[in-house]
């Protein structure tokens, strides 16, 4: 019989010889992640269950990233709740306010390796499928179950495999590829399904680029984003982790596999327009002034994104009437950007550079937009009210388009 | 179950249900105050205990925040009926004891404010004006979770 990666990983995690799409399995969890914002609810639910100790203190990872540093007494209190939980349960992998965004920290600190089952109380947990792990977002009650039992039930998903081919033109990036795909299939185009990204274009991509694809699988309803591990994956994993790993690949004749061919050779930069991620247009069809540019997030806050943006911003000034926030995704990214002189380029151009955190992405902490204001963001969601006022608008783009647009004050093609 | 319908469109996302700036709160009452605020700032005041939401496709898309179903529950919503639901929201709402029912076609013909009667056993929704909609009946274990009032209470009942 032939199976998909998801079927193979979930069979392995539930100690079965094989499982098929539609089966319900009870899978052992390798890594469980919660953060400062959804953590307190998870802890509350865990306490309601009444199990005294978590199932495995070495498999829980808790980064603080959504509201760091604390911006109110309420968020400081949430941090206190989580630090207390970390201490009481002796959680080994705790990253306080100085570390960065959870989906950057997990792979960077070696918590993700191929073949694992990873859950997180954050919908963009699907990012880690870029390294060949089955990784998905869950709620706080489910997380409480995982804290207690180390297991969770899953319905084995069918798979949409995006077979991506064609060489990307200059100024076209992984972000444009994924926005294009979401625009084509729609916000519910992969609901309940695993989204695999494959093909020559993906093979040629760096691990950072692959993370951009997997990160946004949820924006088409995907249960996880997945990329088959190759030499690049193994190199990355060995550099960051000492954990054992297992490589699972998809059999192309698997029953539950639906292959969708995507040719990106003619693709131009893509923009997701308000207020849905699937409202995607090529940049040539978008013309709007912008009030704020946000470069950062778990989608595009990595060093390669900062390099792409800095190259465009170097020696330029951000347009009058437009403001730009640059937030590196982690301390490691921040440090590299310092070493490479990128932060000086941003500061000299007139941008605000902030400490690693989720920033305005979810409109809860810093850099919110007001009524009638327009944000261009390298993050992953543009829902109504996502970055502040429900009367504001959010557009999504690559880091390069964000940088070029900051200079002109309107959504612009990088030159 | 009988109650009034509050009708919404396709792709109602979790930022609409509860905006990110309120996620620092975890209690039902505070979250309920801001429920659906982006679309209707007074939603919480208008809803009565036991009312229903009827929506189009992909209800609850977006974030994994369990604050979203908590806010709806706190506002008094007794069940959500839609053409389809996003995955994480579906799990979260069920875990909190809120029935989510998929009734194809309902969003096209039901009116905002109509009163409906949900028969969970038969899988039929009947409106005041006599319109009938079938929904996919829930499996027994899910009904048990809902009857217990959520997953945690269900697990405690079992012990």
């Amino acid at each position: 019989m032939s199976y998909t990666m998801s079927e193979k990983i979930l069979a392995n995690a539930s100690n079965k010889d094989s499982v098929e799409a539609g089966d319900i399995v009870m899978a052992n969890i390798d890594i469980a992640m919660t953060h400062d914002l959804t953590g307190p609810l998870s802890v509350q639910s865990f306490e309601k269950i009444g199990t005294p100790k978590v199932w495995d203190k070495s498999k829980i990872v808790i980064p603080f990233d959504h509201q760091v540093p604390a911006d109110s007494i309420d968020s400081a209190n949430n941090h206190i709740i989580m630090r207390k939980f970390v201490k009481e349960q002796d959680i080994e992998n705790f990253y306080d306010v100085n570390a960065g965004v959870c989906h950057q920290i997990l792979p960077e600190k070696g918590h993700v390796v191929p073949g694992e089952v990873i859950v997180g109380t954050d919908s963009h947990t699907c990012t880690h499928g870029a390294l060949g792990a089955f990784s998905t977002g869950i709620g706080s009650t489910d997380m409480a179950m995982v804290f207690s039992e180390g297991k969770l039930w899953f319905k084995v998903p069918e798979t949409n495999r995006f077979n991506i081919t064609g060489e990307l033109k200059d100024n076209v990036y992984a972000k444009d590829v994924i926005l294009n795909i979401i625009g084509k299939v729609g916000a519910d185009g992969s609901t309940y399904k695993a989204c695999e990204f494959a093909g020559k274009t993906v093979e040629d991509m760096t691990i950072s680029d692959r993370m951009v694809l997997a990160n946004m699988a949820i924006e088409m309803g995907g249960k996880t984003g997945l990329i088959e591990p190759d030499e690049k994956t193994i190199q990355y994993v060995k550099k960051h982790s000492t954990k054992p790993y297992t490589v699972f690949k998809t059999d192309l004749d698997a029953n539950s596999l639906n292959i969708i061919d995507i040719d990106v050779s003619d693709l131009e930069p893509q923009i997701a327009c308000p207020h849905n991620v699937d409202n995607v247009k090529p940049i040539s069809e978008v013309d709007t002034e912008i009030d704020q540019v946000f470069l950062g997030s778990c989608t595009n806050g990595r060093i390669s994104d900062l390099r792409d943006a800095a190259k465009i911003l170097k020696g330029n000034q951000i347009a009058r009437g437009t403001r730009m926030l640059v937030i590196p995704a982690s301390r490691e990214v921040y440090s590299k950007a310092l070493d490479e002189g990128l932060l000086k380029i941003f500061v000299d151009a007139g941008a605000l550079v902030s400490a690693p955190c989720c920033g305005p992405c979810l409109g809860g902490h810093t850099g919110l937009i007001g009524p009638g204001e327009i944000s261009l963001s390298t993050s992953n969601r543009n829902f109504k009210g996502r970055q502040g006022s429900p009367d504001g608008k959010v557009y999504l783009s690559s880091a390069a388009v964000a940088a070029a647009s900051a200079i002109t004050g309107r959504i612009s093609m990088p030159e | 179950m009988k109650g009034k319908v509050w009708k919404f469109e396709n792709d109602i996302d979790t930022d609409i249900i509860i905006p990110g700036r309120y996620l620092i709160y975890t209690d039902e009452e505070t979250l309920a105050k801001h429920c659906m605020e982006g679309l209707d700032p007074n939603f919480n005041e208008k809803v009565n205990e036991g009312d229903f939401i009827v929506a189009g496709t992909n209800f609850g898309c977006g974030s994994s925040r369990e604050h979203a179903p908590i806010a709806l529950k706190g506002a008094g919503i007794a069940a959500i009926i839609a053409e389809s639901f996003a995955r994480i929201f579906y799990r979260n709402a069920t875990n909190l004891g809120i029935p989510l029912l998929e009734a194809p076609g309902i969003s096209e013909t039901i009116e905002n404010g109509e009163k409906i009667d949900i028969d969970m056993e038969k899988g039929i929704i009947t409106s005041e004006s006599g319109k009938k909609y079938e929904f996919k009946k829930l499996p027994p274990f899910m009904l048990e979770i809902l009857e217990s009032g959520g997953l945690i209470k269900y697990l405690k009942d079992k012990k």
Side-chain angles (χ1 to χ4, degrees), chain A residues 267-282:
Chain A
L267 196 67
E268 61 171 295
Q270 305 283 297
I271 307 289
C273 301
H275 294 288
N276 293 96
V277 186
D278 61 358
N279 185 15
V280 177
K281 292 177 184 163

Side-chain angles (χ1 to χ4, degrees), chain A residues 5 112 125-135 214 224-228:
Chain A
M5 286 176 82
V112 181
T125 303
C126 51
T127 310
H128 312 302
L131 296 176
F134 186 93
S135 190
T224 184
L226 276 166
I227 294 167
E228 289 176 346

Side-chain angles (χ1 to χ4, degrees), chain A residues 43-64:
Chain A
V43 169
Q44 265 179 27
S45 299
F46 175 71
E47 284 167 355
K48 277 186 203 156
I49 293 176
T51 313
K53 283 282 169 191
V54 297
W55 105 102
D56 190 337
K57 61 184 185 172
S58 71
K59 291 185 174 175
I60 295 172
V61 186
I62 304 182
F64 282 2

Side-chain angles (χ1 to χ4, degrees), chain B residues 12-29:
Chain B
I12 294 296
D13 61 70
T14 48
D15 280 87
I16 286 291
I17 301 170
I18 185 79
R21 60 190 174 278
Y22 303 119
L23 303 186
I24 47 172
Y25 306 113
T26 53
D27 67 290
E28 208 173 273
E29 200 184 332

Side-chain angles (χ1 to χ4, degrees), chain B residues 114-130:
Chain B
E114 271 192 83
K115 291 215 172 83
I116 56 171
D117 187 352
I118 304 176
D119 188 328
M120 292 291 284
E121 274 176 29
K122 289 186 183 148
I124 289 175
I125 297 165
T126 315
S127 78
E128 214 173 16
S129 57

Side-chain angles (χ1 to χ4, degrees), chain A residues 12 71 91 123 212-213 251 263 275 329 343 352 406:
Chain A
N12 181 57
D71 60 333
I91 302 296
S123 58
V212 176
L213 301 181
D251 303 322
D263 180 1
H275 294 288
L343 300 188
L352 285 100

